[in-house]
Amino acid sequence: MSTSWIVLLLSCCMASWFAAAFPQQAISKTNEPQTALSQESSSAATDNNASSKNTNTKLSLAKNDLLLDTLEILANQSTDILHTSNNLMRNLIAELRAQPNRTTEIDRYIDRFDQALKHIERIDFAAEQPQLEDIFASVDEIGEIFYDIEDMDDGNDSEVLQRAFDRVGAESIDRQFRENMEHTLMALAKVFDGFVNSLSEVDRQAEYQLIDWFERFQKEDDFEEKLGNLIDEFLKFFE
C-alpha cells in the first residue's frame, strides 16, 4: 500500500534516542556573562591559561546551545506531527470501526491507534518543562504503526486500510507532513549555519569533524537522509 507521508514520520523516530541521551534538565542555555573567565591576570602565563580556558568554555557553551536548539526544533516538529496524527488516527478508527465483517488484523490496528491516542492525551503540551521523552516516544509509536501498515502484504486488510486512509484525506495529510519537514530542515540549517559562522579559526580546527558534517548536511538533497542518518551522526558528536 502507498502512504508516502509515512516516511516523514519515520524520519523523526530517532528523536526518542536523542531525548534519552540528553535529558532536557541536563542541558540549558545561559546568557550570563562568564565574568570569572574575563578577569585580568598579573602574569602572562596566567593570562594565556585564562585565555585558553575562556576559548574552550565559549566553544563548549556554543555547542551546548547548538544541541539545545536542535532538540527544540525536533521537539516542535514532533509536537506538530502528534497534533496532526491525533486527528488522523481518530478519523481512521471511526472509518475502520464502520467496516462490516472486520478481521482480527483490522481490529488489532484499531486497538493500536486507540492506545497511541491515549498516550498522546497524557502529554501536557503546555507544561513549563515540555515532556520531551513522552513526545518523542509517541512519535516513535505512531511511526511503528504506520511502518507496519506500509509493510503489509497486498490483500483484503491492506485494501481496507488504504481505503480508510483515502477517505480521511491522505493527500492533505501528506502535504502537512511535507511542509512540517521542510520547515524543520530550514530551521536546522539556520541553527547549524549560525553556529559554524560564529566559530573562530582555532575553533574550526578543534571541531573539524563537526564542520565536515555540516558541509555534508548542506550538500545533501535527500530530506530522509538529512533527518535520518545525518542527524543521527550529528547527535553522536555529543555523546
Side-chain angles (χ1 to χ4, degrees):
M1 88 192 305
S2 177
T3 51
S4 61
W5 45 266
I6 186 175
V7 180
L8 304 180
L9 279 173
L10 292 174
S11 299
C12 299
C13 289
M14 40 63 64
S16 61
W17 176 89
F18 189 25
F22 305 103
Q24 186 188 27
Q25 59 269 27
I27 309 171
S28 60
K29 282 189 178 182
T30 174
N31 294 319
E32 296 178 2
Q34 302 296 313
T35 53
L37 293 173
S38 63
Q39 292 176 349
E40 293 184 359
S41 171
S42 57
S43 70
T46 302
D47 282 346
N48 289 335
N49 186 49
S51 177
S52 177
K53 287 183 177 180
N54 187 36
T55 299
N56 292 337
T57 299
K58 286 181 178 179
L59 179 58
S60 178
L61 291 174
K63 289 182 65 176
N64 183 79
D65 287 351
L66 172 65
L67 181 60
L68 184 59
D69 286 338
T70 302
L71 175 57
E72 182 179 2
I73 291 168
L74 293 178
N76 290 338
Q77 174 199 49
S78 295
T79 297
D80 289 342
I81 285 174
L82 291 184
H83 289 323
T84 301
S85 299
N86 194 331
N87 295 329
L88 167 65
M89 291 188 294
R90 290 185 187 282
N91 292 334
L92 283 172
I93 288 174
E95 286 288 341
L96 294 174
R97 282 178 175 166
Q99 295 296 313
N101 303 318
R102 294 194 310 269
T103 64
T104 55
E105 182 73 357
I106 295 300
D107 282 338
R108 185 172 72 89
Y109 277 108
I110 291 175
D111 291 341
R112 291 180 72 182
F113 284 135
D114 186 60
Q115 190 66 28
L117 283 171
K118 289 177 180 177
H119 292 160
I120 295 174
E121 289 171 355
R122 296 192 189 114
I123 300 173
D124 182 3
F125 291 100
E128 183 176 349
Q129 291 288 336
Q131 299 172 333
L132 299 183
E133 189 171 354
D134 292 335
I135 289 172
F136 292 142
S138 286
V139 171
D140 280 352
E141 180 180 19
I142 297 168
E144 289 173 4
I145 297 173
F146 290 164
Y147 178 83
D148 289 344
I149 293 174
E150 180 77 6
D151 202 42
M152 288 178 70
D153 294 331
D154 293 338
N156 183 64
D157 289 337
S158 176
E159 292 176 2
V160 168
L161 286 164
Q162 183 64 68
R163 288 196 298 269
F165 279 115
D166 291 341
R167 283 193 292 269
V168 300
E171 290 186 5
S172 175
I173 295 168
D174 181 35
R175 287 194 296 272
Q176 291 182 53
F177 282 130
R178 289 186 181 279
E179 289 172 1
N180 176 286
M181 288 297 170
E182 290 171 1
H183 177 78
T184 296
L185 285 172
M186 288 189 292
L188 287 172
K190 182 177 180 180
V191 166
F192 296 149
D193 190 51
F195 170 77
V196 172
N197 289 337
S198 72
L199 299 180
S200 66
E201 187 58 37
V202 173
D203 294 336
R204 287 172 179 268
Q205 292 176 8
E207 296 295 334
Y208 71 93
Q209 291 178 314
L210 189 55
I211 299 298
D212 174 71
W213 175 90
F214 173 71
E215 291 175 351
R216 287 186 286 116
F217 183 87
Q218 279 187 313
K219 294 176 182 177
E220 180 59 58
D221 294 327
D222 188 336
F223 69 84
E224 293 177 49
E225 179 68 16
K226 280 192 171 186
L227 289 173
N229 293 331
L230 278 173
I231 283 293
D232 186 57
E233 184 181 338
F234 166 79
L235 298 176
K236 293 177 182 178
F237 288 111
F238 300 88
E239 289 180 340

